[in-house]
Amino acid sequence: MDVLERLQKISDTIAETCRQSNRNPKDVELMLVTKTVPVERILPAIQAGYKIFGENKIQEAVQKWVGSDLAPTKPEFIGHLQTNKVKTCLDVCGRIHSLDRVKLAEVLDRELQARGESREVFLQVNSSNEESKFGVSIEDALSFAKEMRHFSSLKVTGLMTLALFSSDQEAVRSCFQRMKSLFDEIQKQDLYGTDFRHLSMGMSGDYQIAIAEGATIVRVGTAIFGERNTPNSYYWPEDKQ
Ligand SMILES: *Cc1c(COP(=O)(O)O)cnc(C)c1O
């Protein structure tokens, strides 16, 4: 199967999973995660009309998406964002899915103020409590969400998480359920009004569970583009930098 055939198959699975969970397929968007995938393999997806792409490393985003055949499409940023890469990230990427600390919010907000711009961001939550994952803890997430309201250039429109990497489906499901409760609570407290509407969770191995538990964006890489040569630990380092 080529990339477009796999995309069709995944779109069908998403629609079918929505039906089974009494959800409208229009409420679930597919992000194509293109880390390590070269330009020429991404291009057909853009030409076929797919709109949401995710990159995990700033340097790779620059190399592939600036001044190439992929422009003017911009990827969204789903990786760990270092403060010294904030300017480049704002230049090259669209939405940022990984706001996970106050210091980063300060640097982003200051730079956006200077530019007279605002930017859509998601709060990254560590729903599995694994040391190796970035994100604010579930316990701290609500107060973090409240604090983020002080940064007027940051438009918080959703939450993002990576669930436990495990073959224990119920343990994975618990991560998604914790996220959905948090998401509902933020909506109930009306911290961000109706703009707050995205729950980005679910990857190649667990997106069907995520949809059943309320995901509005699933982020899929391997199932579309095939296995990567780099191990996941390259993206989620054991020692957080
Ligand atoms: C790589 C990555 C994905 C996609 O993972 P696959 O298992 O390849 O589908 C999703 N989210 C983030 C943050 C990633 O880095």
Side-chain angles (χ1 to χ4, degrees), residues 52-72:
I52 309 180
F53 298 85
E55 287 285 351
N56 192 302
K57 299 263 181 196
I58 295 295
Q59 206 186 338
E60 185 182 341
V62 171
Q63 281 165 358
K64 281 157 49 181
W65 296 82
V66 178
S68 77
D69 291 343
L70 303 182

Side-chain angles (χ1 to χ4, degrees), residues 19-33:
R19 271 190 292 278
Q20 285 165 5
S21 341
N22 287 319
R23 300 194 53 201
N24 186 339
K26 289 203 183 73
D27 294 338
V28 180
E29 295 177 299
L30 172 62
M31 170 191 281
L32 286 63
V33 177

Side-chain angles (χ1 to χ4, degrees), residues 11 23 25 27-28 30 66 76 101 111 115 128 133 148 156 162 180 185 206 215 218 227 232:
S11 302
R23 300 194 53 201
D27 294 338
V28 180
L30 172 62
V66 178
E76 306 195 352
R101 56 205 194 280
E111 180 61 24
R115 298 179 183 202
S128 65
K133 300 265 174 66
M148 290 303 105
V156 177
L162 293 148
K180 175 68 166 133
E185 184 62 27
D206 55 17
V218 292
E227 292 294 333
N232 273 340

Side-chain angles (χ1 to χ4, degrees), residues 90 108-119 152-153:
L90 290 171
L108 277 167
D109 191 59
R110 197 182 316 131
E111 180 61 24
L112 286 162
Q113 300 273 357
R115 298 179 183 202
E117 294 172 15
S118 65
R119 185 65 58 104
S152 57
S153 298

Side-chain angles (χ1 to χ4, degrees), residues 44-109:
I46 293 183
Q47 288 163 344
Y50 289 92
K51 298 252 180 313
I52 309 180
F53 298 85
E55 287 285 351
N56 192 302
K57 299 263 181 196
I58 295 295
Q59 206 186 338
E60 185 182 341
V62 171
Q63 281 165 358
K64 281 157 49 181
W65 296 82
V66 178
S68 77
D69 291 343
L70 303 182
T73 306
K74 283 187 172 189
E76 306 195 352
F77 192 67
I78 58 174
H80 180 61
L81 183 51
Q82 292 165 308
T83 50
N84 64 357
K85 303 254 169 66
V86 156
K87 289 185 185 182
T88 313
C89 183
L90 290 171
D91 290 340
V92 175
C93 300
R95 294 188 294 198
I96 298 168
H97 291 240
S98 46
L99 177 55
D100 61 354
R101 56 205 194 280
V102 176
K103 177 72 202 168
L104 178 59
E106 287 169 357
V107 175
L108 277 167
D109 191 59

Side-chain angles (χ1 to χ4, degrees), residues 31 33 35 56 78-79 124 160-162 165 202-205 219-223 226 228 232 235-236:
M31 170 191 281
V33 177
K35 62 191 190 208
N56 192 302
I78 58 174
Q124 182 171 356
M160 188 273 264
T161 199
L162 293 148
F165 294 135
M203 312 180 8
S204 292
R219 309 181 308 270
V220 181
T222 316
R228 291 178 289 270
N232 273 340
Y235 296 97
W236 305 294

Side-chain angles (χ1 to χ4, degrees), residues 113-171:
Q113 300 273 357
R115 298 179 183 202
E117 294 172 15
S118 65
R119 185 65 58 104
E120 220 182 290
V121 298
F122 291 26
L123 310 183
Q124 182 171 356
V125 179
N126 183 350
S127 59
S128 65
N129 269 328
E130 288 167 292
E131 260 301 305
S132 58
K133 300 265 174 66
F134 293 107
V136 291
S137 68
I138 286 276
E139 294 74 33
D140 295 339
L142 193 59
S143 62
F144 183 68
K146 287 181 179 158
E147 201 172 352
M148 290 303 105
R149 291 186 298 181
H150 300 129
F151 300 99
S152 57
S153 298
L154 302 178
K155 304 285 171 226
V156 177
T157 60
L159 303 178
M160 188 273 264
T161 199
L162 293 148
L164 194 69
F165 294 135
S166 166
S167 54
D168 179 350
Q169 303 234 322
E170 292 317 303

